[in-house]
Amino acid sequence: MARWDEILSLPVQNPPTLEFSSGEIVWSKVEGWRDKLDRIALIPFARVDDFVRGESANKDCPSRFHVEARRRRSSSASYKPKVDGILEYILYWCSFGPDDHRKGGIVRPSRNTYVPKKKNAGRPNTKRGCTCHFIVKRLIAEPSVALIIYNDDKHVDKNGSPCHGPQDKKAAGTRAMFAPYISEDLRLRVLSLLHVGVSVETIMQRHNESVERQGGPCNRDDLLTHRYVRRQERSIRRSTYELDPDDAISINMWVESHQSLVFFYEDFSDHDPFTLGIQTEWQLQQMIRFGNSSIVASDSRFGTNKLKYPLHSLIVFNSDNKAIPVAWVITPSFASADAHRWMRALYNRIRTKDPTWKLAGFIVDDPSADVLTIRDVFQCSVLVSFWRVRHAWHKNIVKKCSETEMRAEMLSRLGQAVDDICKGHGTVDLFEDCMEDFVDGSEFMDYFMALWYPRIGTWITALKTLPLASQETSAAMEFYHIQLKRRLLNEKNPDVYQRTDWLVDKLGTKVNSYFWLDEYSDKVDFARYWKDEWVSGLTSWRKALKIPDSNVVIEGKSAKVTDQHDSDKTYIVWNPGSQFGTCNCCWAEMGYLCEHMLKVIKVCRKKGCITPSISLLQYNQALMDMLRCAPYDSLIRDHAISLAVFVQKQLDALIDLESSRTSEDPIEKQTDNIIEQKTLGDDQDRELAGGIHSMSVDISFPNEDGCLDGQDAPDGVANDLGCGLINEVVSGRSAQLESPGNLPSIPNDSDDKQPVEVAAQETDTCKAQLLNDESSLTRYGLKRNADDGNCVDELPCTKKSKKYDEPGSQQEVGGYNSH
């Protein structure tokens, strides 16, 4: 029992990388069988596959491990709990062993039926007697932990000589130089190309050309064979989504055979609705890569009118701000009270892979979404996107109203109503007045009254209580909606839309393949085989950045945008400067935000002829709320203390030069007194802030393009300097600054100068870290009003609250716990 006490006392190691090898974890020596010392370590059982992949990618000796033996206790079998009991036993062995098919090699008696082939070129898994192997045990005492026993970690044969890889001289010029199978990246590339309709011959032709260009094979992927690709193509062609005539039974069969793709499954019951969560390994990697300290958005109502159950997508945004789906949830309602179960399952799956993963913000497109659950599970702020409503209004106005001026006026009034509501002083009366003023557009108003007026109350509440997502995010979500529509709803037989097994099969195969190829760098090699479903490219926001300002001419209530490629073609944009504008291009006619409208908006903001967007106003308002309410650890106090420390250091340097002085300088005493005031009340805060104001230092807020006045807007989605300021404010590390060059400035209305060191771009990521972040609001003396969601002072500026001084305390804020 002492052995097991020692084993169970070891720490469970969980490296923060997607894959890890034996060199990245710490091994312990524990007494094992026959008085031998076992080399062991504990890792989460859910990460055993990551360890296997990482160990296979050994640079010194690339290989691949296969399951040589497995024993698993049945879940229905009864067993006695004991400390050394095993739920599962797995033996992983290097694929170049344990048998040795070389001349004079030893083959186990159970494998003596093997008949050597005349040509072994097509057998990359030829056995060479490698003894490298390890054992994985899942213990009854700790089912979530895997015990790894790795005694034979060298890729050698029974004689101790290298048997494959670069260290084996006899393997030079053979396939034994490389790993026995192609990499996971190449496997996904081949499957994705086959799923989207690229032929086997085309894939092999492009692959052979790339190998020739590099001068011959130099890794395992260069050894891709026509036989392997043909076999994958045959498997795809023979597969079918309809595993059973009954849709529910077919779904159960699919879930059982695709456990690696399912992160949550709940069948129909008397109490729980049907819920199926799908996430491929590639999607999980993208969510960890682009979702950490960033934004995840929700597209919750796709296919409501066509599919049996609407498709709910969770998407992240890559470096080009294009949407990538990282999970799909099929359920009758996204706003279900049981949403916390699949959200918790998804969150735990991610945190198992990367314990440091943390979301900055979550964007919803449904006002009835369970915001409480999202905040509780993901521990982040929640924003709302209005793109779906704006798209529906725009599309139906174009469809039901033929007069261009009437369209522009109706959209303008709707846009003004939405802006007033987001600013906090609008009500449903704005929409009622709009319906009365536009009786001539009765067809659209009838549609609005029947479909949207009953829902407008919930939308007003959401827009008043949640921050609004930016236009760049809305453009990315619109582009994702178009991609998914063309890639999924393109079947000739519409009857399949009523089968859920068809939906899950197509999502996991074709649709996932299209989005994988969107991120594939060499996809242009197959451009001639692209179909309409590929619909790849830049979003409207990114296209707008490429249009020169000189191509835009604003004339009264309209603007003209000259086409980049054809100077004789111009587009007319009405309501310039508003996202509720309209354009005569085909993209805007379908109700989407086109690049011409977005370009006109950017030009108008540069000229200062329109107000900043609601998103930026909310961002700046949150900053001002923090500066106006200055608790004991505020930014103003940190700035003052940092400045005092800097002054003291300068005085100390002067004092060292005057070695003859024996008494302390009165100025130094005064500086020490300033530093001691950090423990006093806010009366001293105001004195320190006033002293800084007298120095004419100021802070400038970014303009609409994310830059200071007089500077060009960066093209990136986020400005690191701006986000860095927000992180300093939220994390409270500003007091560590010791140089005036690193200090954030304090507002001063009397000085018009704009310092260069402070900048922030209009990004949902930075805003999510500040707006609606309950932990930040609590830290800086704010709380969320339960009635309207606005920030109000939690702490009076003249008094300290004792409960905020206690480390680790939790304060109830607007119905939510701040952690």
Side-chain angles (χ1 to χ4, degrees), residues 455-469:
R455 312 179 191 174
I456 206 67
T458 57
W459 272 108
I460 290 176
T461 303
L463 292 174
K464 284 186 175 181
T465 56
L466 298 176
L468 187 66

mmCIF file of all heavy atoms in Angstrom, residues 455-469:
data_model
loop_
_atom_site.group_PDB
_atom_site.id
_atom_site.type_symbol
_atom_site.label_atom_id
_atom_site.label_comp_id
_atom_site.label_asym_id
_atom_site.label_seq_id
_atom_site.Cartn_x
_atom_site.Cartn_y
_atom_site.Cartn_z
ATOM 1 N N ARG A 455 -41.871 41.457 -30.255
ATOM 2 C CA ARG A 455 -40.560 41.141 -29.688
ATOM 3 C C ARG A 455 -39.755 42.378 -29.300
ATOM 4 O O ARG A 455 -38.692 42.252 -28.693
ATOM 5 C CB ARG A 455 -39.714 40.347 -30.690
ATOM 6 C CG ARG A 455 -40.414 39.178 -31.349
ATOM 7 C CD ARG A 455 -39.428 38.529 -32.319
ATOM 8 N NE ARG A 455 -40.063 37.566 -33.190
ATOM 9 C CZ ARG A 455 -39.445 36.952 -34.200
ATOM 10 N NH1 ARG A 455 -38.175 37.227 -34.429
ATOM 11 N NH2 ARG A 455 -40.087 36.086 -34.967
ATOM 12 N N ILE A 456 -40.245 43.561 -29.683
ATOM 13 C CA ILE A 456 -39.396 44.737 -29.552
ATOM 14 C C ILE A 456 -39.105 45.069 -28.098
ATOM 15 O O ILE A 456 -38.070 45.666 -27.787
ATOM 16 C CB ILE A 456 -40.057 45.939 -30.280
ATOM 17 C CG1 ILE A 456 -38.982 46.934 -30.728
ATOM 18 C CG2 ILE A 456 -41.106 46.596 -29.410
ATOM 19 C CD1 ILE A 456 -38.075 46.415 -31.798
ATOM 20 N N GLY A 457 -39.989 44.661 -27.212
ATOM 21 C CA GLY A 457 -39.756 44.931 -25.795
ATOM 22 C C GLY A 457 -38.529 44.219 -25.257
ATOM 23 O O GLY A 457 -37.720 44.805 -24.519
ATOM 24 N N THR A 458 -38.376 42.946 -25.601
ATOM 25 C CA THR A 458 -37.197 42.207 -25.143
ATOM 26 C C THR A 458 -35.920 42.749 -25.776
ATOM 27 O O THR A 458 -34.865 42.775 -25.129
ATOM 28 C CB THR A 458 -37.343 40.714 -25.481
ATOM 29 O OG1 THR A 458 -37.550 40.561 -26.901
ATOM 30 C CG2 THR A 458 -38.537 40.113 -24.739
ATOM 31 N N TRP A 459 -36.000 43.208 -27.024
ATOM 32 C CA TRP A 459 -34.826 43.781 -27.666
ATOM 33 C C TRP A 459 -34.442 45.110 -27.023
ATOM 34 O O TRP A 459 -33.246 45.415 -26.866
ATOM 35 C CB TRP A 459 -35.067 43.967 -29.168
ATOM 36 C CG TRP A 459 -34.707 42.766 -29.969
ATOM 37 C CD1 TRP A 459 -35.549 41.893 -30.590
ATOM 38 C CD2 TRP A 459 -33.383 42.294 -30.229
ATOM 39 N NE1 TRP A 459 -34.842 40.905 -31.216
ATOM 40 C CE2 TRP A 459 -33.503 41.127 -31.016
ATOM 41 C CE3 TRP A 459 -32.117 42.734 -29.874
ATOM 42 C CZ2 TRP A 459 -32.403 40.407 -31.452
ATOM 43 C CZ3 TRP A 459 -31.010 42.014 -30.308
ATOM 44 C CH2 TRP A 459 -31.165 40.858 -31.086
ATOM 45 N N ILE A 460 -35.431 45.909 -26.648
ATOM 46 C CA ILE A 460 -35.130 47.178 -25.987
ATOM 47 C C ILE A 460 -34.413 46.925 -24.666
ATOM 48 O O ILE A 460 -33.430 47.593 -24.324
ATOM 49 C CB ILE A 460 -36.430 47.984 -25.770
ATOM 50 C CG1 ILE A 460 -36.967 48.490 -27.118
ATOM 51 C CG2 ILE A 460 -36.195 49.152 -24.822
ATOM 52 C CD1 ILE A 460 -38.294 49.206 -27.018
ATOM 53 N N THR A 461 -34.891 45.936 -23.920
ATOM 54 C CA THR A 461 -34.236 45.605 -22.652
ATOM 55 C C THR A 461 -32.797 45.148 -22.870
ATOM 56 O O THR A 461 -31.886 45.553 -22.140
ATOM 57 C CB THR A 461 -35.026 44.508 -21.931
ATOM 58 O OG1 THR A 461 -36.373 44.947 -21.725
ATOM 59 C CG2 THR A 461 -34.403 44.173 -20.587
ATOM 60 N N ALA A 462 -32.586 44.314 -23.886
ATOM 61 C CA ALA A 462 -31.231 43.815 -24.159
ATOM 62 C C ALA A 462 -30.301 44.937 -24.594
ATOM 63 O O ALA A 462 -29.143 45.012 -24.165
ATOM 64 C CB ALA A 462 -31.288 42.721 -25.217
ATOM 65 N N LEU A 463 -30.788 45.839 -25.463
ATOM 66 C CA LEU A 463 -29.935 46.918 -25.949
ATOM 67 C C LEU A 463 -29.595 47.923 -24.857
ATOM 68 O O LEU A 463 -28.557 48.587 -24.917
ATOM 69 C CB LEU A 463 -30.626 47.638 -27.116
ATOM 70 C CG LEU A 463 -30.783 46.825 -28.407
ATOM 71 C CD1 LEU A 463 -31.603 47.593 -29.426
ATOM 72 C CD2 LEU A 463 -29.427 46.461 -28.991
ATOM 73 N N LYS A 464 -30.450 48.059 -23.866
ATOM 74 C CA LYS A 464 -30.182 48.986 -22.770
ATOM 75 C C LYS A 464 -29.253 48.388 -21.719
ATOM 76 O O LYS A 464 -28.515 49.119 -21.054
ATOM 77 C CB LYS A 464 -31.494 49.412 -22.105
ATOM 78 C CG LYS A 464 -32.303 50.421 -22.905
ATOM 79 C CD LYS A 464 -33.512 50.886 -22.109
ATOM 80 C CE LYS A 464 -34.264 51.986 -22.853
ATOM 81 N NZ LYS A 464 -35.435 52.471 -22.080
ATOM 82 N N THR A 465 -29.298 47.086 -21.554
ATOM 83 C CA THR A 465 -28.539 46.454 -20.467
ATOM 84 C C THR A 465 -27.242 45.811 -20.921
ATOM 85 O O THR A 465 -26.367 45.565 -20.088
ATOM 86 C CB THR A 465 -29.393 45.384 -19.781
ATOM 87 O OG1 THR A 465 -29.836 44.424 -20.767
ATOM 88 C CG2 THR A 465 -30.613 46.008 -19.123
ATOM 89 N N LEU A 466 -27.094 45.531 -22.215
ATOM 90 C CA LEU A 466 -25.887 44.866 -22.707
ATOM 91 C C LEU A 466 -25.151 45.768 -23.690
ATOM 92 O O LEU A 466 -25.795 46.466 -24.485
ATOM 93 C CB LEU A 466 -26.239 43.541 -23.402
ATOM 94 C CG LEU A 466 -26.909 42.471 -22.545
ATOM 95 C CD1 LEU A 466 -27.267 41.264 -23.408
ATOM 96 C CD2 LEU A 466 -26.020 42.050 -21.387
ATOM 97 N N PRO A 467 -23.822 45.762 -23.678
ATOM 98 C CA PRO A 467 -23.065 46.543 -24.664
ATOM 99 C C PRO A 467 -23.312 46.019 -26.075
ATOM 100 O O PRO A 467 -23.571 44.837 -26.289
ATOM 101 C CB PRO A 467 -21.608 46.317 -24.248
ATOM 102 C CG PRO A 467 -21.669 45.819 -22.847
ATOM 103 C CD PRO A 467 -22.951 45.095 -22.707
ATOM 104 N N LEU A 468 -23.224 46.917 -27.039
ATOM 105 C CA LEU A 468 -23.495 46.573 -28.432
ATOM 106 C C LEU A 468 -22.203 46.174 -29.134
ATOM 107 O O LEU A 468 -21.172 46.836 -28.981
ATOM 108 C CB LEU A 468 -24.140 47.765 -29.142
ATOM 109 C CG LEU A 468 -24.643 47.524 -30.569
ATOM 110 C CD1 LEU A 468 -25.804 46.539 -30.562
ATOM 111 C CD2 LEU A 468 -25.063 48.842 -31.215
ATOM 112 N N ALA A 469 -22.257 45.097 -29.898
ATOM 113 C CA ALA A 469 -21.083 44.640 -30.649
ATOM 114 C C ALA A 469 -20.779 45.605 -31.788
ATOM 115 O O ALA A 469 -21.652 46.310 -32.292
ATOM 116 C CB ALA A 469 -21.326 43.231 -31.197
#
